[in-house]
Amino acid sequence: MFFIKHVLKLEQFWKTQMNRTKINLTSFLYPLLFLIFILLFWEFLIIYFKIPKYFLPSPSNVLNAFILNIKTFLIATLVTLSITFLAITLSIISGVLIAIGVFQYKILDKTISPYIVILQTTPIVSIIPLLIIWFKSNTFITLVICAWIACIFPIISNTLIGLKSTDKSLIKIFRIYGASQTFMLKKLYIPSALPYFLSGLKISGALALIGGISAEFIAGTGGRASGIAYILLMAGYNLETDKLFAALFIITVLGIFIYSLFNFISYLLLKQWHDSSTNF
Amino acid sequence: MFFIKHVLKLEQFWKTQMNRTKINLTSFLYPLLFLIFILLFWEFLIIYFKIPKYFLPSPSNVLNAFILNIKTFLIATLVTLSITFLAITLSIISGVLIAIGVFQYKILDKTISPYIVILQTTPIVSIIPLLIIWFKSNTFITLVICAWIACIFPIISNTLIGLKSTDKSLIKIFRIYGASQTFMLKKLYIPSALPYFLSGLKISGALALIGGISAEFIAGTGGRASGIAYILLMAGYNLETDKLFAALFIITVLGIFIYSLFNFISYLLLKQWHDSSTNF
Amino acid sequence: MLYQTLLNTRSHVDFIKLDNVSKMFQNLTVLKKVSMEIHKGEFIGILGPSGCGKSTLLTLLSGLEKISSGVLHNNSTKGKSAFVFQDSCLMPWKTLEQNIAIPLEILNLSRQEIEEKVNKYLKILDLYKFRKNYPRELSGGMKMRASIARALVTDPEVILMDEPFASLDQILRERLVDEIYEIYLRKNLTGIFVTHNIAEAVFLCNRIYIFSFHPGQIIGQIQINKSNMDMKKYRNSDVFHQTCVKIRTILENSNE
Amino acid sequence: MLYQTLLNTRSHVDFIKLDNVSKMFQNLTVLKKVSMEIHKGEFIGILGPSGCGKSTLLTLLSGLEKISSGVLHNNSTKGKSAFVFQDSCLMPWKTLEQNIAIPLEILNLSRQEIEEKVNKYLKILDLYKFRKNYPRELSGGMKMRASIARALVTDPEVILMDEPFASLDQILRERLVDEIYEIYLRKNLTGIFVTHNIAEAVFLCNRIYIFSFHPGQIIGQIQINKSNMDMKKYRNSDVFHQTCVKIRTILENSNE
Amino acid sequence: KKNHGTINSKENNDYFPLVLGTDWFAQAEHGGFYQAVAEGIYEKYGLNVKIKMGGPQVNGIQLLLADEVQFYVPASYIMMSAAKQKLPIISVAAIFQKDIQVLLAHPNVGNDTLENMKNKPIFISAPTAASIWGFLEGKYGYKESQKKSYSHSLTPFLQDKNSIQEGILTSEPYLIEKNFGFKPVAILLSDYGFSGYGELLTTTKKFEEKHPKIVQNFVNATLEGWKSYLENPTLGNELIKNANPEMTDELLQFAHQKFINEKIISGGDAELYGMGIMTDVRWREFANMLIESKAFDKNIDYHSIYTLKYLNNTK
Ligand SMILES: Nc1ncnc2c1ncn2[C@@H]1O[C@H](COP(=O)(O)OP(=O)(O)OP(=O)(O)O)[C@@H](O)[C@H]1O
Ligand SMILES: Nc1ncnc2c1ncn2[C@@H]1O[C@H](COP(=O)(O)OP(=O)(O)OP(=O)(O)O)[C@@H](O)[C@H]1O
Ligand SMILES: [Mg+2]
Ligand SMILES: [Mg+2]
């Protein structure tokens, strides 16, 4: 009896798994078809109208440039990715801590909130010179800091609004039993804020990438450990349009990768309790 | 009897109003005191250590630069503000429409969602040249488009997650009575998504400002309609540190202004039904 | 319209009919081979232990959930049913009267008509004084009453009610039962009424289905004949009490 | 600790005492000059029409809301009260057993102890089979039972219950009333019990306060003496029925 | 000779450590500096020189003032701004005798003098505009409305045959010819009276006062490096490519050729007085030109931002 039940459960499990895969396949298929269509159309246009490479390279030009410089691109991608992920990690830690701090202590809220807003609205571009001086020309750290500044705000803002949206009756339940504030944070507020936080994380992921890349555009690294923005910049100066497009393409893929990653994490964390996790 | 009731009500009203003002006052007071303290400390440090103006201008230097260039600053501020607000308006309209479209039509979701992500992760800096070509070097439009791209994603993302978080039982109620999808959108989904949307809006406000300013850093060439970033940039080139700081200060104030505005709008719209509107 | 004509031409067909309907959630069978026929103008009671699938049955009848197997016919006019959920589910961002007006707005009535009807039911349900309050400013029973008002306000053809009176005091409860019975008589309402209160079911309904726990199956069906009786008399009659005891016995036995 | 000693030295002082307590929401007086004394080990019933302020009274007693005027003493040990809200309010991201375990986690019991107690009450409330389910996969009655289990699991000193049995079937309801009565006897529980079911209140309680509608005021207080009676006998006794009728009359009169 | 592959000279306490900040990623315009590192010339003069590359928005003057770098290489215009702001920095030698800023135009459309370019759209970036626009406006009557955004894409220029494009003598003409197959008209602004120096070796006044010997040695070593670079750039170019992998040999070669053909480094006064020379006459000429075009106030004290005292010894 128990055995049969177990087998049934297993079957059920695989069925759902298969269904899930099916859904994922179609959700890949549509944009992929769209992409292929666009690429073919693009190639065709360029051949038909004889558009010169410098004006708009064809997909095959871009692919070619990509293959020719694959090693450079790979290293640059790794640099950019490490900047982005370091920045996101930093901003998750600091963003959540700040949100919790502001949520817990009124004084903190009143005193520092406006300055967090300032941090958010000050254009990175204008503080990079300062950062360069502070961090003794360690460009990598400067870039990480820039990316961090660029992406921390959505985490703070969304986490905070999530913490504040906690169900009032549940708060009462915890109060009745004399739960400590720490306990309530861990068991009540933070789980309640989770969907908001994750939505913020998705926004931040993209912002960290952009922040890092913009900073690299401005601060520039050059040398051996330079990221993808440096290649983009130099390709621009050297008028290598195909290489520029290849770099742009890589940035885009990175963006989609980071986004999908956070979307997936969000799906995993939320599937137990929130219906809004499907996608986006 | 009725008269007395009315008087009582009025009294009640004013009492609450007063309380509200009191709260607002202290919430201004703390950061203001902090600010004044910092400014005084800063001025003191500069006088005490005889730090030269070119290295770090004192608050009085900055104020002086501000007063000397007040007209330039005023015009530039107006330009920057109009770029920012145009971009936010555009992104509210387009962002909400996209979110609703994606929410309503599975096909749209599957086909275009990834491309919205692409839009989000492509660094503005790299597409400005394209925009300049497309918009026939109309810098203003280019800047608005950049700011728009920079700030649309949080609106889409948050609105969508809000739409998807609509209470399942309420959806059932509407279904029972055969409500049309349009009706449900208007009366159910959109109000449900409101708090999420507003949180996104707060993030977007800051991003629009940054987006416009970053774009101006890259595309800006001055002329009549140059914004605050152009002044910042030029002050940098001309080594006018005090003017640079004054411009930075204006940007910061703009940021706080935009943020406070959206915070206030958010408070007004949410006070009826959501407790998370207090602030931040 | 299509539904309406179908109904008129085939009036010999049952209004709502379930044939061996089952419902599973993942691998849990909640309802198993349920067959029932509901005629137009009947008031059907559903009784059974907590968790036996009563609410699930209502969502199936209303078409909000899909059945897992079997056949379900529902010939009621689309948009002419009303549902009182087990919890009140009001929109937190609307006042009481706005909440109640929602179905009428869906049906696209004029502002004046809406106001009239809403006020009428606000009064019936003792809520008029609180019409401008938001749900969070109401007591549990008031919210439930608002939800009942929202269902009644459309003059529905079919009404599905899931323990609507559970959180109301006895006096109010009895008044509302009377009220609904009157509406039922006047409007030829078809009702499906889930309750834990046996007496209420016996008073209101023409027929009562009794469900067993896990899997939810029909274990008893009781026809009640009260056509010619005065309702006050009926409530104190022997038939009434005997029926109540009978149902109780069935429920008690099923539990062992 | 402070509370405890106070209690011991001043055992002549009432356990919970309200003196002319009023509660206003904005300009609406919900409770007006309510005075009551609750002694340790008493089981108090609260009856009154829907919206009269019963739930509000419980939130005042538990300290979750502040009183607007008057004096309120509560000498119960902090963290030793339990509250069954009118709606179940479970955490949607936790399973049933995790939800029930929450108060024990707050009290910092060992994993094993927690598991033992949770399982015990899961069984008492017929929920054991569903312990791994999430709230959205439960029926209304099950959620309410989970909420009762969450309150009982801590062995509280004082228990505040707001219509805990409203959405349960009669048989289960009676069983649970018996169960709680037994716990009450065994553990010297102090209980405050809001209900719309007069019989239940008369059965469980030592004293019943009856509230009027708007503003909520005490319009009746009924002492029930059942100390030496067997409970089964009591349920069928004349005293029982007479008390029920008496309360009903008070309620009916207050309504006019 | 063994260690020449790295940018850092050998760490050694006997050598005076210096950081030279450049205004861009490594390129031919910095060839002499890299050459001096590569050939060990700085070491020969007792210096341990590290080169720190600049970038699009890196403010070298700020780095200089913050003592992050000890030497920086601005052009004359920036030094004028510094004079206006009374920044305590001072130029001690001029590598480029001519400013290498050019305006590019399409061939055969008549845009071959600055006068003819009036009223044509000019793609110009903000920093360039800051330095040359005053000159173009004041001397040639250019209008604000001509300015068009330029953010390092030549496509808008290529599309409009009538348009003008900013550029650097040593790079854009080559890139355009190589990529688009036509030789653009390149008008060197210095031929029209934009008489500034380029790559001015500049340090802080404090440093100059405290270490005159070091400054002298740095000037001498750098000039030796440039001399060597002009003769045979191989070693310097290797270092450049090392620091900036995207740099190509052809571009380096093109720039090197331009240095020699246009006598950027060795022409003008340098022909008479030797490389690195600055003269009061040239500085006055440049300052007056800017004062006339209203870019600067006539009371500006530009004498304080340069000194000629390290140049007599080079002869
Ligand atoms: N936050 C609030 N703001 C304004 N009025 C409120 C608020 N909370 C409760 N009320 C009012 O207080 C009154 C009493 O509410 P309460 O929930 O205590 O009633 P109750 O006796 O528990 O009723 P029920 O039996 O229906 O649960 C109601 O009239 C309600 O409208
Ligand atoms: N989404 C779901 N997933 C899994 N199980 C579910 C789901 N919804 C309901 N169930 C199960 O279906 C059974 C019947 O639920 P239902 O709500 O219909 O009971 P009910 O008869 O209305 O009970 P009550 O009287 O307590 O309201 C329960 O055992 C519940 O656990
Ligand atoms: Mg149910
Ligand atoms: Mg209540």
Side-chain angles (χ1 to χ4, degrees):
Chain A
M1 196 48 199
F2 256 90
F3 178 70
I4 292 174
K5 232 185 192 167
H6 192 71
V7 168
L8 278 176
K9 253 190 192 161
L10 262 183
E11 202 190 297
Q12 192 67 36
F13 176 77
W14 283 113
K15 257 192 198 151
T16 24
Q17 281 311 93
M18 303 258 289
N19 275 338
R20 212 166 274 159
T21 330
K22 227 184 260 164
I23 290 166
N24 278 354
L25 266 185
T26 61
S27 80
F28 272 113
L29 209 66
Y30 281 84
L32 206 71
L33 283 177
F34 192 64
L35 182 70
I36 289 171
F37 169 76
I38 283 187
L39 288 182
L40 286 178
F41 188 66
W42 176 356
E43 186 88 44
F44 163 79
L45 276 185
I46 280 172
I47 293 169
Y48 189 82
F49 290 105
K50 297 201 181 62
I51 296 168
K53 189 170 110 180
Y54 65 82
F55 192 67
L56 186 70
S58 71
S60 54
N61 290 148
V62 176
L63 187 69
N64 196 36
F66 180 72
I67 291 169
L68 276 177
N69 301 287
I70 187 122
K71 219 182 122 192
T72 328
F73 277 132
L74 225 74
I75 296 170
T77 305
L78 281 179
V79 174
T80 302
L81 265 186
S82 53
I83 290 171
T84 309
F85 276 101
L86 241 139
I88 294 176
T89 313
L90 268 180
S91 71
I92 290 176
I93 296 171
S94 52
V96 169
L97 284 181
I98 289 173
I100 290 174
V102 166
F103 175 68
Q104 299 242 62
Y105 304 106
K106 262 272 140 66
I107 266 280
L108 222 61
D109 188 358
K110 282 185 182 148
T111 325
I112 74 163
S113 287
Y115 299 94
I116 296 169
V117 178
I118 290 175
L119 201 67
Q120 168 65 3
T121 51
T122 305
I124 308 170
V125 276
S126 58
I127 53 166
I128 285 180
L130 286 177
L131 290 177
I132 291 175
I133 293 173
W134 290 345
F135 295 102
K136 297 276 159 222
S137 334
N138 185 331
T139 320
F140 187 78
I141 293 183
T142 309
L143 295 183
V144 171
I145 301 279
C146 288
W148 171 72
I149 292 175
C151 76
I152 190 174
F153 190 68
I155 298 213
I156 298 180
S157 168
N158 269 22
T159 307
L160 198 57
I161 216 167
L163 289 171
K164 288 185 177 175
S165 304
T166 306
D167 187 334
K168 298 292 164 288
S169 319
L170 286 174
I171 295 176
K172 284 182 189 165
I173 292 276
F174 277 75
R175 287 257 167 81
I176 291 275
Y177 295 104
S180 67
Q181 195 65 10
T182 332
F183 187 88
M184 282 174 78
L185 255 181
K186 219 175 76 186
K187 295 279 177 171
L188 179 62
Y189 293 125
I190 288 175
S192 292
L194 197 62
Y196 284 85
F197 163 77
L198 289 170
S199 166
L201 190 58
K202 281 190 219 171
I203 298 170
S204 282
L207 287 183
L209 183 63
I210 292 190
I213 283 175
S214 306
E216 207 182 337
F217 253 85
I218 291 153
T221 29
R224 285 277 160 251
S226 54
I228 202 87
Y230 162 73
I231 295 183
L232 187 69
L233 198 64
M234 287 327 273
Y237 281 115
N238 294 338
L239 306 179
E240 298 165 289
T241 325
D242 46 356
K243 201 167 167 185
L244 187 144
F245 268 76
L248 255 181
F249 180 72
I250 291 175
I251 292 174
T252 302
V253 170
L254 281 185
I256 295 177
F257 165 70
I258 292 171
Y259 175 80
S260 311
L261 183 72
F262 288 128
N263 208 17
F264 182 66
I265 291 175
S266 174
Y267 167 76
L268 282 186
L269 290 176
L270 290 189
K271 80 175 161 196
Q272 288 302 2
W273 79 278
H274 203 274
D275 296 279
S276 62
S277 67
T278 26
N279 70 49
F280 224 92
Chain B
M1 196 51 199
F2 256 91
F3 179 71
I4 291 175
K5 232 181 190 172
H6 191 71
V7 168
L8 279 175
K9 252 189 192 164
L10 261 182
E11 200 191 299
Q12 192 66 36
F13 176 78
W14 282 114
K15 256 191 198 154
T16 25
Q17 281 312 92
M18 302 259 289
N19 274 338
R20 213 165 273 158
T21 331
K22 225 185 261 165
I23 289 166
N24 279 354
L25 267 185
T26 61
S27 80
F28 272 113
L29 209 68
Y30 280 84
L32 205 73
L33 283 178
F34 193 64
L35 182 71
I36 290 171
F37 171 76
I38 282 187
L39 288 182
L40 286 177
F41 189 66
W42 177 359
E43 187 88 42
F44 165 79
L45 276 185
I46 280 172
I47 292 169
Y48 191 82
F49 289 107
K50 297 202 181 63
I51 296 169
K53 183 171 113 181
Y54 57 81
F55 198 66
L56 185 69
S58 72
S60 53
N61 291 147
V62 175
L63 187 69
N64 196 37
F66 178 73
I67 291 168
L68 277 178
N69 301 288
I70 188 121
K71 220 182 123 193
T72 328
F73 278 131
L74 225 73
I75 296 169
T77 304
L78 281 179
V79 173
T80 303
L81 264 186
S82 54
I83 290 172
T84 310
F85 276 101
L86 242 140
I88 294 175
T89 314
L90 268 181
S91 71
I92 289 175
I93 297 171
S94 52
V96 169
L97 282 181
I98 289 173
I100 289 174
V102 165
F103 175 67
Q104 298 243 61
Y105 305 105
K106 263 274 139 67
I107 267 280
L108 220 63
D109 188 357
K110 283 185 182 150
T111 325
I112 74 162
S113 287
Y115 299 95
I116 296 169
V117 179
I118 290 174
L119 201 67
Q120 168 65 2
T121 52
T122 306
I124 307 170
V125 276
S126 58
I127 53 165
I128 284 181
L130 285 177
L131 292 176
I132 290 174
I133 299 169
W134 292 343
F135 296 105
K136 299 271 163 232
S137 333
N138 185 330
T139 319
F140 187 78
I141 294 183
T142 308
L143 295 182
V144 170
I145 301 278
C146 287
W148 171 71
I149 292 175
C151 77
I152 190 174
F153 190 69
I155 298 215
I156 299 180
S157 168
N158 268 24
T159 307
L160 198 56
I161 216 168
L163 289 172
K164 288 185 177 176
S165 305
T166 306
D167 188 334
K168 298 291 165 288
S169 321
L170 286 174
I171 295 176
K172 284 182 190 166
I173 292 277
F174 277 74
R175 287 258 167 81
I176 290 276
Y177 296 103
S180 67
Q181 196 65 12
T182 331
F183 187 88
M184 282 174 79
L185 255 180
K186 218 176 77 186
K187 295 279 177 169
L188 178 61
Y189 292 125
I190 288 175
S192 293
L194 196 63
Y196 284 85
F197 163 78
L198 289 169
S199 165
L201 189 60
K202 281 189 220 170
I203 298 170
S204 282
L207 287 183
L209 183 63
I210 291 190
I213 283 174
S214 307
E216 208 181 337
F217 256 82
I218 292 152
T221 21
R224 293 269 159 268
S226 57
I228 201 86
Y230 182 73
I231 296 182
L232 182 71
L233 201 61
M234 282 318 201
Y237 290 124
N238 294 331
L239 309 173
E240 300 165 290
T241 326
D242 47 356
K243 200 168 166 186
L244 187 144
F245 268 77
L248 252 181
F249 180 72
I250 292 175
I251 292 174
T252 302
V253 170
L254 283 185
I256 293 176
F257 166 68
I258 291 171
Y259 176 80
S260 310
L261 184 72
F262 287 128
N263 208 17
F264 183 66
I265 292 176
S266 173
Y267 167 77
L268 282 186
L269 290 176
L270 290 189
K271 81 175 161 199
Q272 287 302 1
W273 79 279
H274 204 272
D275 297 278
S276 61
S277 68
T278 24
N279 70 48
F280 222 89
Chain C
M1 278 307 279
L2 185 74
Y3 279 99
Q4 196 78 55
T5 43
L6 270 176
L7 186 74
N8 290 340
T9 55
R10 308 192 300 174
S11 60
H12 60 282
V13 169
D14 306 303
F15 197 49
I16 297 170
K17 185 172 172 171
L18 280 79
D19 202 0
N20 272 322
V21 167
S22 296
K23 175 69 188 174
M24 322 242 304
F25 284 113
Q26 281 123 57
N27 43 3
L28 180 82
T29 308
V30 171
L31 289 172
K32 192 172 164 188
K33 301 210 169 176
V34 173
S35 300
M36 47 167 75
E37 292 172 10
I38 300 168
H39 304 281
K40 201 163 161 62
E42 270 193 317
F43 219 105
I44 303 291
I46 312 276
L47 283 168
S50 168
C52 73
K54 302 182 294 299
S55 303
T56 308
L57 181 70
L58 290 196
T59 58
L60 295 181
L61 287 176
S62 64
L64 289 173
E65 286 256 14
K66 292 221 170 68
I67 59 177
S68 301
S69 71
V71 185
L72 186 148
H73 282 292
N74 189 336
N75 295 321
S76 65
T77 321
K78 232 182 153 181
K80 275 293 215 179
S81 343
F83 201 141
V84 181
F85 283 100
Q86 195 163 3
D87 41 59
S88 49
C89 47
L90 305 171
M91 285 180 274
W93 61 89
K94 297 223 158 190
T95 62
L96 196 56
E97 64 180 1
Q98 286 168 340
N99 261 294
I100 294 172
I102 273 289
L104 299 176
E105 282 181 35
I106 296 176
L107 300 176
N108 222 343
L109 300 199
S110 73
R111 288 208 72 75
Q112 204 199 326
E113 257 180 304
I114 292 181
E115 202 173 318
E116 241 166 58
K117 294 201 178 205
V118 167
N119 283 346
K120 178 176 148 200
Y121 284 97
L122 278 171
K123 276 170 196 155
I124 290 179
L125 288 144
D126 262 359
L127 289 170
Y128 190 75
K129 205 178 147 190
F130 295 92
R131 66 191 183 286
K132 301 275 179 218
N133 284 42
Y134 286 92
R136 73 186 122 81
E137 301 166 343
L138 297 173
S139 80
M142 285 165 153
K143 278 187 269 191
M144 206 57 219
R145 277 182 272 157
S147 157
I148 297 170
R150 181 176 57 190
L152 293 175
V153 83
T154 52
D155 296 324
E157 193 175 82
V158 180
I159 189 164
L160 307 165
M161 294 188 286
D162 198 351
E163 302 179 37
F165 311 132
S167 53
L168 302 181
D169 59 287
Q170 239 151 10
I171 294 161
L172 190 60
R173 205 167 167 139
E174 279 161 26
R175 230 194 63 216
L176 284 180
V177 167
D178 287 342
E179 200 84 52
I180 284 178
Y181 193 73
E182 202 185 300
I183 295 172
Y184 159 67
L185 288 179
R186 212 170 51 233
K187 305 245 161 129
N188 194 25
L189 196 64
T190 309
I192 296 144
F193 179 46
V194 170
T195 183
H196 288 309
N197 191 312
I198 299 171
E200 249 165 48
V202 175
F203 179 75
L204 256 181
C205 304
N206 308 104
R207 197 141 40 92
I208 293 172
Y209 287 100
I210 301 165
F211 280 77
S212 70
F213 187 65
H214 261 274
Q217 272 174 305
I218 297 175
I219 52 165
Q221 174 179 351
I222 283 162
Q223 191 73 36
I224 296 164
N225 211 326
K226 53 181 173 181
S227 45
N228 301 325
M229 231 182 279
D230 173 69
M231 288 318 283
K232 270 223 173 106
K233 241 186 230 161
Y234 172 59
R235 217 198 273 271
N236 296 318
S237 70
D238 275 352
V239 195
F240 183 86
H241 288 294
Q242 276 158 18
T243 319
C244 287
V245 172
K246 193 168 149 196
I247 292 173
R248 209 191 143 92
T249 324
I250 297 177
L251 279 170
E252 263 167 4
N253 289 342
S254 84
N255 232 19
E256 270 131 40
Chain D
M1 277 307 278
L2 185 73
Y3 278 99
Q4 196 79 55
T5 42
L6 270 177
L7 185 72
N8 291 341
T9 54
R10 306 194 301 174
S11 60
H12 61 283
V13 168
D14 308 303
F15 197 47
I16 298 170
K17 184 172 174 170
L18 281 77
D19 203 0
N20 273 323
V21 167
S22 295
K23 174 70 187 173
M24 323 244 303
F25 285 112
Q26 280 122 57
N27 43 1
L28 180 82
T29 307
V30 172
L31 289 171
K32 191 171 164 190
K33 302 210 167 174
V34 173
S35 301
M36 47 168 74
E37 292 173 10
I38 300 168
H39 304 281
K40 202 165 162 62
E42 268 193 320
F43 218 106
I44 303 291
I46 312 278
L47 282 168
S50 168
C52 72
K54 302 182 295 298
S55 304
T56 307
L57 180 69
L58 290 197
T59 57
L60 295 179
L61 287 176
S62 64
L64 289 174
E65 286 256 15
K66 292 221 171 67
I67 58 177
S68 301
S69 71
V71 186
L72 186 146
H73 281 292
N74 188 337
N75 295 321
S76 63
T77 320
K78 231 184 157 178
K80 275 294 214 178
S81 341
F83 202 140
V84 181
F85 283 101
Q86 195 163 1
D87 41 57
S88 49
C89 45
L90 304 172
M91 285 181 271
W93 62 89
K94 299 223 158 190
T95 62
L96 196 56
E97 65 180 1
Q98 286 168 339
N99 260 296
I100 295 172
I102 272 291
L104 299 176
E105 282 180 35
I106 295 175
L107 300 175
N108 222 345
L109 299 201
S110 72
R111 289 208 72 74
Q112 205 198 327
E113 257 179 305
I114 291 180
E115 201 171 321
E116 243 167 56
K117 293 201 179 204
V118 167
N119 283 345
K120 179 176 150 202
Y121 284 97
L122 278 172
K123 276 171 196 156
I124 290 179
L125 288 144
D126 264 357
L127 289 170
Y128 191 74
K129 207 179 144 188
F130 295 92
R131 67 192 184 284
K132 301 276 179 215
N133 284 40
Y134 287 91
R136 77 186 119 80
E137 301 165 344
L138 297 173
S139 80
M142 285 165 151
K143 277 188 270 191
M144 206 58 221
R145 276 182 272 158
S147 157
I148 298 171
R150 181 176 57 191
L152 293 176
V153 82
T154 51
D155 296 325
E157 195 175 80
V158 180
I159 188 163
L160 308 165
M161 294 188 285
D162 198 351
E163 302 179 37
F165 311 132
S167 53
L168 301 181
D169 58 287
Q170 239 151 11
I171 295 162
L172 191 60
R173 199 164 174 144
E174 279 161 26
R175 230 193 65 215
L176 284 180
V177 168
D178 286 342
E179 200 85 53
I180 284 179
Y181 193 72
E182 202 186 299
I183 296 172
Y184 159 67
L185 288 180
R186 213 170 53 232
K187 304 245 160 121
N188 194 26
L189 196 63
T190 309
I192 295 142
F193 179 45
V194 170
T195 183
H196 288 309
N197 191 312
I198 299 172
E200 249 166 49
V202 175
F203 179 76
L204 256 179
C205 304
N206 308 105
R207 196 141 40 93
I208 293 171
Y209 286 101
I210 301 165
F211 279 78
S212 70
F213 186 67
H214 262 273
Q217 273 175 306
I218 296 176
I219 51 165
Q221 174 179 351
I222 283 162
Q223 190 73 35
I224 295 165
N225 211 329
K226 53 181 175 185
S227 47
N228 301 324
M229 231 182 278
D230 173 65
M231 286 318 282
K232 269 226 174 101
K233 241 184 231 163
Y234 172 57
R235 216 199 273 272
N236 296 316
S237 69
D238 276 350
V239 194
F240 183 87
H241 288 294
Q242 276 157 18
T243 319
C244 287
V245 172
K246 190 168 153 196
I247 291 173
R248 213 194 138 91
T249 322
I250 298 178
L251 280 169
E252 264 166 2
N253 289 342
S254 85
N255 232 19
E256 270 129 41
Chain E
K1 262 193 175 168
K2 322 146 223 164
N3 243 341
H4 294 162
T6 53
I7 300 179
N8 293 304
S9 308
K10 219 167 154 192
E11 289 292 328
N12 194 317
N13 288 340
D14 298 343
Y15 299 130
F16 193 92
L18 279 179
V19 181
L20 166 66
T22 66
D23 51 0
W24 193 247
F25 299 104
Q27 54 183 354
E29 286 80 349
H30 311 135
F33 310 127
Y34 284 97
Q35 187 86 359
V37 172
E39 291 207 317
I41 295 169
Y42 285 128
E43 282 172 15
K44 202 173 83 193
Y45 280 87
L47 305 170
N48 171 17
V49 174
K50 223 173 128 182
I51 299 176
K52 186 179 153 29
M53 293 191 293
Q57 302 274 328
V58 179
N59 193 333
I61 298 288
Q62 216 164 8
L63 292 177
L64 188 62
L65 290 168
D67 207 26
E68 279 294 302
V69 301
Q70 284 72 45
F71 279 94
Y72 181 58
V73 285
S76 289
Y77 182 86
I78 296 176
M79 291 311 289
M80 290 294 288
S81 293
K84 185 182 172 194
Q85 301 300 322
K86 301 193 170 56
L87 302 188
I89 57 177
I90 189 157
S91 296
V92 293
I95 306 297
F96 290 178
Q97 295 300 313
K98 293 175 171 181
D99 197 295
I100 54 174
Q101 190 75 53
V102 290
L103 288 184
L104 303 167
H106 289 265
N108 312 322
V109 290
N111 288 338
D112 36 21
T113 59
L114 282 188
E115 287 86 353
N116 291 351
M117 291 176 175
K118 206 175 143 182
N119 295 328
K120 308 275 168 65
I122 300 181
F123 293 105
I124 189 167
S125 67
T128 312
S131 66
I132 66 171
W133 198 257
F135 162 75
L136 293 173
E137 213 172 20
K139 203 158 169 187
Y140 293 93
Y142 281 33
K143 302 255 159 52
E144 191 74 26
S145 56
Q146 283 177 265
K147 276 192 193 170
K148 299 289 173 209
S149 292
Y150 172 53
S151 53
H152 308 296
S153 163
L154 289 180
T155 319
F157 167 66
L158 294 171
Q159 280 206 298
D160 183 355
K161 286 256 182 288
N162 250 323
S163 63
I164 315 295
Q165 170 69 53
E166 72 153 275
I168 297 292
L169 176 67
T170 48
S171 108
E172 273 84 357
Y174 162 78
L175 290 168
I176 289 175
E177 190 175 348
K178 183 195 166 206
N179 286 293
F180 312 128
F182 70 93
K183 223 187 179 104
V185 177
I187 291 170
L188 194 57
L189 292 185
S190 70
D191 293 346
Y192 282 79
F194 191 74
S195 52
Y197 294 110
E199 307 275 316
L200 288 159
L201 288 188
T202 303
T203 187
T204 57
K205 282 188 173 145
K206 206 161 117 201
F207 188 86
E208 189 262 337
E209 274 155 25
K210 207 167 157 199
H211 305 288
K213 269 199 83 155
I214 299 292
V215 173
Q216 184 67 64
N217 282 347
F218 183 75
V219 170
N220 292 349
T222 304
L223 291 176
E224 207 171 300
W226 272 103
K227 200 179 239 160
S228 163
Y229 185 74
L230 289 180
E231 277 158 18
N232 178 6
T234 322
L235 286 177
N237 283 348
E238 229 164 81
L239 269 197
I240 288 173
K241 282 187 292 174
N242 213 18
N244 180 5
E246 296 296 303
M247 185 49 74
T248 60
D249 285 323
E250 295 86 50
L251 183 56
L252 287 171
Q253 216 177 337
F254 176 84
H256 188 259
Q257 206 57 48
K258 283 284 176 197
F259 290 154
I260 291 169
N261 292 350
E262 300 280 341
K263 296 192 167 158
I264 301 295
I265 298 155
S266 53
D269 296 333
E271 249 166 327
L272 290 172
Y273 307 107
M275 273 163 56
I277 194 68
M278 299 186 290
T279 64
D280 287 321
V281 181
R282 279 279 300 278
W283 270 110
R284 193 185 317 125
E285 203 184 322
F286 185 68
N288 284 341
M289 185 264 294
L290 289 175
I291 290 166
E292 271 165 35
S293 65
K294 302 236 160 54
F296 288 97
D297 195 80
K298 69 174 190 288
N299 301 323
I300 187 168
D301 175 22
Y302 59 89
H303 295 289
S304 65
I305 51 162
Y306 69 93
T307 172
L308 305 179
K309 73 177 183 209
Y310 296 98
L311 296 171
N312 302 326
N313 318 337
T314 46
K315 251 229 187 105

